[in-house]
Amino acid sequence: MKITLQWLRRYVDFNGTPEDLAERLTMLGLEVEGVQRTGAEFDGVVVAQVITRDPHPNADKLSVCRVNDGQGERIIVCGAHNFQAGDKVPLILPGHALPARRGEPPYTIKVGKIRGIESHGMMCSPSELGLSGDAEGLLILPPTAPVGQPFAEFLGRSGQDVVFDLEVTPNRPDLNSVIGIAREISAATGQPLRLPETTLAEDPDSRAADGVAVRIEDPDLCPRYTARLIRGVKIGPSPDWLRRLLELVGLRSISNVVDVTNFVMLETGQPLHAFDYRLISRAAGEAGQEGLPTIVVRRARPGEKIATLDGQERSLTTDMLLIADEQRAIALAGVMGGLNSEINDRTADVLLESAYFKPTSIRRTSKLLDLRSDASYRYERGADIGIADWASRRAAQLILETAGGRLASGVVDAYPRPAAPRHVSVRFARTDALLGIPIPAAEQVGHLRRLGLEPMAAGGSETTPEAAGIATVQIPSFRVDLKEEVDLIEEIGRLHGVDRIPATPPRGALGAHPHDAVHDDLAAARRLLCGLGLSETQGQTLISDALAARVLPPEEAGSIVRLGNPLSSDMNVLRPSLTAGLLDALRRNINRQESDLALFEIGRVFRLREAAPADERHLGLALTGRRHQPFWSGADRSQTLDLYDLKGILEEFLDLFGVRGYSYARRAGAHPLFLESAQIVQGKQVLGEIGQLLPAAARQLDLRDAVLVAELSMDLLLARRNASKQFRPLPAFPSVRRDVAMVAPESLTHEAALGAIRKARPTHLEAVELFDVFRGGQVPAGHKSMAYALTYRHPERTLTDAEVNAIHEKLVASLKQDLPVQVREG
Amino acid sequence: MPALIDQIEPLKQAALAQFQAAEDMAALDQARSQFLGAHGQFTALMKQLGALPKEEKPAAGKQINQAKGELEAALAARRSELELAAVLPKDPTDFTLPGRRRGLGCSHPLTQVIEDIVRSFRKLGFVVADGPEIEDDYHCFDALNTPADHPARDTQDTFYLDHPTPRLLLRTHTSSVQIRVMEKQAPPIRIIVPGRVYRRDNADATHNPTFQQIEGLYVDRGVTVGDLKGTVEFVFRELLGADTRIRFRPHYFSYTEPSFEIDFANATVRKMGKAWLEIAGCGMVHPQVFVNVGYDPEQWTGWAFGFGIERIAMLRYGVNDIRLFYENDQRFLRQF
């Protein structure tokens, strides 16, 4: 909402600078988003007269003009065509700036050569001056304009003004009006509010009620409709003060009558509409007589259409409220007028509508038609049902002033069920308890009074509200936001000043919530992964269905959770896995020449489970590129990462995080994403998956090196985490190591070998370490040599060689029996 | 043949020269046995000592012992030199060359900001709570006193799932967790809720359809606006610096009454050429919200506030584009 300082001052005095006012309004809850001084905008612009106009010697489309600026002559090179010698035009002198356009810096005019001829200023078009009108040609001023006069003075705009741009919160529709804001300032400062007098010169010979009838068919959606009639107006441009005011606050001047309705809407917050009275058809009267032109307020009929003022034809639904006559729709109630009854140059008689429509109805209509107007904006937030007639009188008065005509006496005011006044009570002690400061009862009452909330005598008794500790106030019709006690407490707090409420040091109960520990578990996981050299990412929750499908086996594509109203196909589903985002992060980095990457994310993923969307926290890891940080020497420095790197990271992480007893189940058969992969399982529960991306899939993402990916259910890891620690005494006696090397077929897994060792239950075995896997040489094809180091230790004494040898030999014998291996002795 | 005493010094000098000349351990060992071995020249000299006349013995003995001591010291010194030389790398270490680094990862800047905020609140007795990102209209809007025709419920702003019944949406704010927690727990409540939220905005430098908020909720007996101010001022001073000033401005949110917007001012804001910068919204929990979760608003009061994590991170680190947080460019991630 834009208002100007001068406009505001018509209704309330304010002693202080515009900045003071901005601060005051902001602290009242009316945030000032911009303060712009006007009047200085035409600095350096004067009325000038073109003396000669000649073609530019070097440019077809330009002319070279001698121009009198009132002080003397200057040469101006000009690109416009709509003028001739003798015309008077606005001229901006070098060194001065044109009014800035929204979002652009001001443009300063300089002396400069244009195609070889020096130009000393610029003749201006209306749009260059920020005025409404034709952008094509110069603004041609009337011949009477005095040459040399400052342009602002010529426009009658020498008085400076300040435009405030205010953010009005949706609960305060009353502040979408200058009077509403003045009322707020009056309440805050104690300066009286001055409302304009609306004494009307009514034509005693004609009555509105004899000229128009109003029939409300849907009083639920339109509780009140008033109509006034002004005959014999002359439609024309608005007077300067009106044009200027509307332009300053960002509205286009249209014609005197329409401008008045807009002015009064801005002044009072009450939307008004003017119809051409003669275009409203008459009802069929009794006994063949013609009835009165009749306003019918009704819902649209099935399939009904209306052409609105913006020239669009709108298809209506039966929820939408219309203003109609007996034959057709003439306006979309509270949203926009109809073309068929619009004020036009030939309009002589005006029917002035001032009504109240239900916010929900207007909002629904406006949303369904995607049509928003200043009127719908105000109605959908809640207009003031009490002001409808006053605003109509105010507009009638101004129409008579600006367009002439005769006002039919009286008003047709269809208001079948006048709203009963609402009452709300506030307990002063409750105010103190909520705000945290004692505000004396008399002061609270004072704040309420200033807001026009006069406390009523409690039940006719003699007790004052102060003594009773409670005030009951009648809510003015414009304060639709005041519904209950806490709303009044807010008002008292606002006028008292939030800054006067002292901050109290934190105190009170300790919080409790089961997630608190989870938050720490997640933080611990992040710390471990960072320590392992992975950087944390945060991917988009919303991704494309194509990317989502790429990371899922085809049979799971149906489990993707889709948006009903996506913004674009790039973001139309909820991520089913973190791998999608991690791969995207790898791709993005590689494209920016960052090729050595180790990333993880902990975040939620979404899948349909039994047809209902469900979320789950996951952990995703992705690696690609070189194993080691860049170094300047060494044969292994350019080695790239492989699956064992990722597996090592994962194992270290799970060990330290406290997840044990899991194993890997190699996936047999083809997988849409992985070249090789395995499920990470714990008992029957699949914790996640680890694998290497198919080279083809990697190439699609511009990834050249092996891409290693793992994704696990973080929720499962959290559930199975055992982070408890137990001290074990450090061994006091030395250990003894014995090695065993076995030539085994390729199909024998490490896990099977370990299993066989465990099964043999060698006494005093402390640890088993696989220290070499070797192929080739004397190892036959299809086989591998696996070398294990076994550590034996007795907790209470030193083992002898003989003891260890006996245990170890028994183990070797058992392995030979249980595994398809040849043990290499020695 | 010169007198014994006169042979000592030349022989010592010869031995010292040989020790010094030895280039490796073998040469040094050989020199040692040449002079100090059982058949060495110096040993031979010592053996002759017994043959000297009695009056010459003390002087010669003293001199010879002294010389032997010097030779042994020189030998040990040369041995240490040669030992060290043997283990010194062929190419001396250039301490200006880059070392072999082990890379640590970095946690995401948004995670770091959340952790800092959580730490501040925990000092005040708050715990971290959580709630679903897929929500229903009731928890995201109705229960928060945002009626069906409220502007905030525009489908323009909210992502709905392609899921007819029940109608599901992506929460537009973490405030829905207020309801979830109060439905389950009896007062008092003292929680903060970091989490992802979603708005149907096209991505640009200040908008991303996914972003993160943190919500604070405190419900107890006798909670006041003064308490709200005290907590907010404490947390934002911790977060934005001790020079931070906080201002409360009346505002409107449907689920709090009175409602405020919080502005802050500090050196960062002044550098941006502004007096105040909006940072958060807050207010006293609306009595209707308490009624909706079954709390008695006459007994319990409380406050809630919420703010954007990205905004804090952008201010703190000077990040100029919100999308950078979700692009995961390593060069970006490693700056924090």
Side-chain angles (χ1 to χ4, degrees), chain A residues 190-466:
Chain A
Q191 295 284 348
L193 181 70
R194 292 186 302 269
L195 292 182
E197 289 287 326
T198 55
T199 43
L200 292 174
E202 294 183 328
D203 179 358
D205 297 334
S206 81
R207 287 183 347 119
D210 295 337
V212 64
V214 173
R215 189 171 78 242
I216 302 178
E217 294 186 354
D218 280 289
D220 286 349
L221 303 187
C222 173
R224 187 176 191 186
Y225 193 102
T226 75
R228 273 193 165 73
L229 207 50
I230 305 142
R231 290 198 171 86
V233 300
K234 188 168 177 345
I235 303 296
S238 287
D240 269 348
W241 70 266
L242 182 53
R243 283 181 69 122
R244 183 189 168 216
L245 207 50
L246 292 179
E247 277 170 3
L248 272 181
V249 299
L251 257 62
R252 200 161 55 95
S253 174
I254 294 163
S255 70
N256 44 15
V257 170
V258 175
D259 287 0
V260 163
T261 58
N262 281 331
F263 173 84
V264 175
M265 174 183 70
L266 296 174
E267 186 182 47
T268 64
Q270 168 66 28
L272 298 154
H273 186 65
F275 294 98
D276 184 327
Y277 172 66
R278 294 190 189 167
L279 298 177
I280 299 169
S281 64
R282 289 164 184 274
E286 285 163 34
Q289 296 268 308
E290 257 197 342
L292 288 178
T294 302
I295 294 289
V296 182
V297 187
R298 60 165 170 84
R299 285 168 196 261
R301 302 191 175 113
E304 193 166 4
K305 289 181 178 168
I306 184 171
T308 43
L309 282 180
D310 55 2
Q312 305 274 322
E313 190 175 58
R314 312 271 176 183
S315 300
L316 308 176
T317 69
T318 54
D319 280 343
M320 297 176 181
L321 193 67
L322 286 177
I323 309 301
D325 57 20
E326 294 291 2
Q327 270 142 42
R328 59 195 179 147
I330 57 173
L332 200 51
V335 180
M336 192 172 275
L339 269 181
N340 55 16
S341 56
E342 177 184 23
I343 300 291
N344 55 69
D345 292 348
R346 296 177 306 282
T347 300
D349 302 340
V350 171
L351 185 138
L352 184 64
E353 163 198 296
S354 178
Y356 176 85
F357 304 110
K358 273 285 161 65
T360 47
S361 158
I362 300 299
R363 180 169 174 71
R364 209 168 297 142
T365 303
S366 160
K367 230 167 87 178
L368 281 171
L369 295 177
D370 196 19
L371 174 61
R372 279 162 184 86
S373 64
D374 287 326
S376 71
Y377 177 84
R378 284 170 173 78
Y379 278 127
E380 71 185 30
R381 280 164 174 74
D384 174 7
I385 196 166
I387 207 176
D389 185 50
W390 192 90
S392 165
R393 291 165 61 84
R394 174 73 173 147
Q397 174 191 33
L398 291 173
I399 289 172
L400 294 178
E401 264 176 39
T402 59
R406 299 175 317 281
L407 173 66
S409 60
V411 62
V412 179
D413 187 350
Y415 191 8
R417 288 190 296 268
R422 288 178 298 122
H423 297 97
V424 178
S425 301
V426 59
R427 293 162 292 172
F428 303 129
R430 187 73 185 163
T431 306
D432 294 352
L434 199 63
L435 298 183
I437 37 161
I439 303 178
E443 217 176 298
Q444 297 198 30
V445 169
H447 291 321
L448 293 172
R449 284 211 168 100
R450 278 187 173 188
L451 288 161
L453 302 166
E454 186 63 36
M456 307 194 303
S461 72
E462 297 296 302
T463 329
T464 60
E466 288 89 331

Side-chain angles (χ1 to χ4, degrees), chain B residues 59-203:
Chain B
K62 189 180 173 196
Q63 212 176 339
I64 213 164
N65 275 331
Q66 200 178 337
K68 191 183 176 205
E70 275 181 54
L71 285 182
E72 278 172 348
L75 187 69
R78 185 60 186 159
R79 179 168 286 138
S80 303
E81 273 177 30
L82 287 178
E83 271 171 3
L84 186 61
V87 296
L88 263 186
K90 258 193 278 156
D91 309 310
T93 298
D94 174 356
F95 282 93
T96 68
L97 275 176
R100 207 177 262 116
R101 292 176 74 140
R102 298 191 172 211
L104 273 183
C106 302
S107 70
H108 194 277
L110 296 178
T111 303
Q112 296 185 31
V113 169
I114 291 172
E115 284 305 310
D116 288 349
I117 296 170
V118 165
R119 201 175 303 117
S120 291
F121 276 104
R122 281 183 164 170
K123 289 181 188 170
L124 306 181
F126 282 77
V127 295
V128 185
D130 189 32
E133 291 170 27
I134 294 178
E135 266 297 0
D136 49 36
D137 281 310
Y138 177 76
H139 288 89
C140 200
F141 299 122
D142 298 80
L144 287 163
N145 200 30
T146 311
D149 281 295
H150 195 275
R153 292 190 60 161
D154 257 335
T155 43
Q156 293 297 102
D157 305 323
T158 308
F159 282 117
Y160 284 91
L161 298 188
D162 182 13
H163 189 263
T165 44
R167 192 162 82 138
L168 295 174
L169 52 85
L170 291 175
R171 66 179 178 196
T172 56
H173 48 200
T174 41
S175 306
S176 50
V177 185
Q178 288 184 27
I179 305 298
R180 292 270 171 198
V181 171
M182 288 194 285
E183 280 176 342
K184 274 203 179 142
Q185 286 181 214
I189 302 279
R190 204 177 182 96
I191 53 164
I192 44 163
V193 187
R196 289 188 172 208
V197 299
Y198 305 88
R199 303 251 172 105
R200 209 164 165 273
D201 291 322
N202 280 303

Side-chain angles (χ1 to χ4, degrees), chain A residues 581-599:
Chain A
L582 284 167
L583 292 179
D584 196 49
L586 294 184
R587 181 191 55 81
R588 196 182 286 275
N589 274 289
I590 300 267
N591 287 342
R592 294 172 183 178
Q593 294 163 308
E594 288 287 308
S595 49
D596 302 321
L597 298 156
L599 305 175

Side-chain angles (χ1 to χ4, degrees), chain A residues 23 26-29 31 167 169-171 360 363-364 367 381 427 430 433-436 484-487 490 494 498-499 501-504 506-516 519-520 523 526 530-542 561-567 571 574-575 585 588-589 592 594 596-599 601 604 606 611-613 617 629 631-632, chain B residues 97-101 103-108 110-111 115 118 122 124-125 127-131 133-134 149-151 154-155 158-163 168 170 181 185 188 190 196 198 200-202 208-210 212 218 220 222-227 229-231 233 247-252 257-261 278 284 286-287 297-298 301 325-331 333-334:
Chain A
E23 170 76 12
T26 296
M27 292 312 289
L28 278 169
E31 193 181 353
E167 190 208 333
T169 53
N171 62 323
T360 47
R363 180 169 174 71
R364 209 168 297 142
K367 230 167 87 178
R381 280 164 174 74
R427 293 162 292 172
R430 187 73 185 163
L434 199 63
L435 298 183
E484 53 192 299
E485 181 176 41
V486 68
D487 299 324
E490 178 177 49
R494 227 160 44 83
V498 203
D499 43 335
I501 302 175
T504 39
R507 59 181 181 86
L510 294 182
H513 194 275
H515 180 73
D516 199 53
H519 180 85
D520 287 340
R526 286 195 190 93
C530 288
L532 287 166
L534 278 70
S535 283
E536 189 195 5
T537 66
Q538 296 237 15
Q540 300 277 8
T541 302
L542 302 177
V561 182
R562 295 172 184 280
L563 285 179
N565 59 339
L567 269 171
M571 293 190 168
L574 273 60
R575 58 182 179 187
R588 196 182 286 275
N589 274 289
R592 294 172 183 178
E594 288 287 308
D596 302 321
L597 298 156
L599 305 175
E601 178 167 5
R604 278 179 162 141
F606 302 84
R617 247 184 234 98
Q629 299 263 311
F631 196 63
W632 39 269
Chain B
L97 275 176
R100 207 177 262 116
R101 292 176 74 140
L104 273 183
C106 302
S107 70
H108 194 277
L110 296 178
T111 303
E115 284 305 310
V118 165
R122 281 183 164 170
L124 306 181
V127 295
V128 185
D130 189 32
E133 291 170 27
I134 294 178
D149 281 295
H150 195 275
D154 257 335
T155 43
T158 308
F159 282 117
Y160 284 91
L161 298 188
D162 182 13
H163 189 263
L168 295 174
L170 291 175
V181 171
Q185 286 181 214
R190 204 177 182 96
R196 289 188 172 208
Y198 305 88
R200 209 164 165 273
D201 291 322
N202 280 303
N208 191 62
T210 301
Q212 307 195 30
Y218 174 39
D220 205 338
V223 179
T224 70
V225 173
D227 295 328
K229 288 181 77 173
T231 299
E233 283 176 13
R247 172 174 94 166
F248 284 67
R249 247 183 315 109
H251 199 72
Y252 169 73
E257 184 85 11
S259 304
F260 309 98
E261 275 193 331
E278 187 185 315
M284 303 302 290
H286 197 288
E298 285 295 313
T301 52
F325 291 115
Y326 295 94
E327 285 181 359
N328 299 310
D329 187 318
Q330 182 162 253
R331 296 165 303 173
L333 296 175
R334 299 198 69 88

Side-chain angles (χ1 to χ4, degrees), chain A residues 13-53:
Chain A
D13 289 327
F14 184 82
N15 304 319
T17 64
E19 286 69 27
D20 293 340
L21 181 59
E23 170 76 12
R24 196 72 190 250
L25 291 171
T26 296
M27 292 312 289
L28 278 169
L30 252 168
E31 193 181 353
V32 177
E33 293 186 320
V35 178
Q36 195 196 358
R37 287 160 194 279
T38 66
E41 59 183 335
F42 297 126
D43 234 18
V45 184
V46 297
V47 175
Q49 186 167 29
V50 180
I51 302 168
T52 60
R53 178 190 174 188

